[in-house]
Amino acid sequence: MKERDDRIFRLVVSKMAVERQGEELPQVLVLGPPWVFSTLESQFPNKFHFLKPWDSELSLHQFLISYAQSTQALLIPAVIHTLNSAILDCLPSLKLIITTSAGVDHLNLPELRGRGIAIAYAGNLYSEDVADMAVGLLIDVLRNVTAGDRFVRQRLWPTKPDFPLGLKLSGKQIGIVGLGKIGFEVAKRLEGFGCRISYNSKTKKPLVPYSYYSNVHELASNCEVLIICCGLTEETHHIINREVMLALGKNGVIINIARGAVINEKEMIQCLVEREIGGAGLDVFEIEPEIPKQLFTLHNVVLSRHAAITTHESFVGMSKLVVENLEAFFSNKPLVSPYMGY
Ligand SMILES: O=CC(=O)O
């Protein structure tokens, strides 16, 4: 009985605390991993009252029903895939979703459009960081940087001198899948390495000096490296399949800084195991963070933790953009970085 009374007391106190904090300021609900939000929170001015379900003892459903009935703005500070109809049904006043990502594949766009909910997103904020990461992964895979690090740490250098040779980056024929802002930034960087650039995208870009291939198979047949820079859509889902990888060839390298499911991951692992492609640098996976264990055993693969955007500078820029969008929204001005593609 005492335990039950204590619990009710704690719930009432936490409800009062939430209500007190939010008396004046516009409310913004936050859904997503608390650790991502906590890296941003210190940068936000004291202008909004952030509703954080993880601070409450209530279930998410109960929390939303209790506190978020008049909430108009929702912040998603990571790529989470749990924003389903059941959650949206608990948010009858919702008018805006701010996602801090550049990709919007985690949002059900037709449903949000149907419900009249606007979206603000990161736009091109991270393109340089993501392009830097793509080039970093490529150099790592070709020149065995991480594999060399493991070799040295395992004290194998003095005893086992037969470390494999790397492959040269300069002059490589690079195929970029998706020549948006990130793809362009990757191309610009690799031009500096004397690489020859080709690309695939929905349509040929005017005034672009790179060779265009209208399908990825043809692109792969003419390249030694594929760098995946496109968004994940129904059309691009598993667009990089076994046939494409076989066309890339035995020394071919795949870099993915876009979304895991653009590549058929099972087929990629099979191609890597059977040495039908040369290697891969992967920042993203089909299901994160539970990635296939087989990848851990492959020495021709460099793994990263969906971290291409995670620089101090990009987090500062992202916090600023979130605040600008919230300020615009709560003062009935146009959003600063609206997502228009739905
Ligand atoms: O993956 C990260 C993003 O879409 O911003």
Side-chain angles (χ1 to χ4, degrees), residues 23-303:
E23 265 162 21
E24 304 289 337
L25 304 173
Q27 257 184 11
V28 180
L29 173 67
V30 187
L31 291 180
W35 71 267
V36 184
F37 182 70
S38 65
T39 60
L40 298 172
E41 193 171 16
S42 60
Q43 317 218 21
F44 291 143
N46 202 12
K47 287 186 179 169
F48 311 103
H49 170 58
F50 290 103
L51 284 179
K52 295 173 270 186
W54 58 85
D55 277 350
S56 162
E57 298 204 5
L58 298 176
S59 70
L60 177 60
H61 180 84
Q62 281 175 323
F63 181 90
L64 298 180
I65 302 276
S66 309
Y67 302 119
Q69 293 307 285
S70 58
T71 302
Q72 296 188 20
L74 165 62
L75 172 62
I76 308 182
V79 179
I80 53 159
H81 290 264
T82 47
L83 186 65
N84 52 31
S85 307
I87 292 181
L88 291 170
D89 285 344
C90 297
L91 301 170
S93 310
L94 191 65
K95 296 205 166 46
L96 171 69
I97 290 177
I98 301 187
T99 177
T100 56
S101 60
V104 291
D105 52 286
H106 55 301
L107 300 176
N108 183 337
L109 298 176
E111 171 156 30
L112 296 182
R113 188 181 48 224
R115 290 178 184 251
I117 297 173
I119 301 171
Y121 77 132
N124 291 326
L125 186 67
Y126 312 124
S127 302
E128 292 173 351
D129 286 317
V130 176
D132 291 347
M133 185 72 153
V135 174
L137 285 171
L138 178 57
I139 294 177
D140 194 336
V141 175
L142 291 174
R143 302 300 305 272
N144 300 317
V145 179
T146 304
D149 179 86
R150 282 193 297 267
F151 187 80
V152 173
R153 286 170 199 263
Q154 289 163 15
R155 306 277 196 274
L156 295 174
W157 190 6
T159 55
K160 193 171 172 291
D162 57 340
F163 191 77
L165 292 176
L167 289 169
K168 193 179 176 79
L169 171 59
S170 303
K172 280 262 170 311
Q173 181 75 52
I174 308 284
I176 296 183
V177 179
L179 198 68
K181 179 80 165 96
I182 294 173
F184 264 117
E185 291 293 334
V186 171
K188 204 163 84 184
R189 282 157 180 69
L190 290 175
E191 273 191 280
F193 285 85
C195 294
R196 288 167 298 139
I197 314 287
S198 314
Y199 72 101
N200 160 259
S201 61
K202 259 190 258 167
T203 51
K204 188 172 179 339
K205 311 268 173 194
L207 308 175
V208 165
Y210 315 130
S211 316
Y212 172 69
Y213 292 95
S214 60
N215 70 70
V216 279
H217 190 276
E218 237 182 282
L219 179 73
S221 309
N222 287 283
C223 289
E224 301 160 282
V225 172
L226 280 185
I227 304 187
I228 316 304
C229 300
C230 60
L232 176 62
T233 62
E234 270 172 30
E235 295 83 59
T236 61
H237 183 262
H238 284 188
I239 194 177
I240 308 298
N241 56 23
R242 182 171 161 77
E243 285 71 48
V244 172
M245 290 182 257
L246 293 182
L248 187 63
K250 282 194 183 320
N251 282 332
V253 169
I254 293 185
I255 302 298
N256 193 359
I257 42 71
R259 286 291 182 266
V262 176
I263 301 178
N264 183 325
E265 203 168 70
K266 262 200 192 123
E267 295 185 359
M268 177 186 67
I269 292 173
Q270 194 190 348
C271 287
L272 285 162
V273 169
E274 289 166 14
R275 297 268 166 187
E276 285 165 331
I277 56 171
L282 307 170
D283 186 49
V284 286
F285 305 88
E286 285 211 54
I287 299 171
E288 297 171 359
E290 307 304 329
I291 69 175
K293 299 220 174 3
Q294 247 179 317
L295 285 171
F296 299 144
T297 62
L298 296 171
H299 292 284
N300 49 349
V301 174
V302 176
L303 303 173

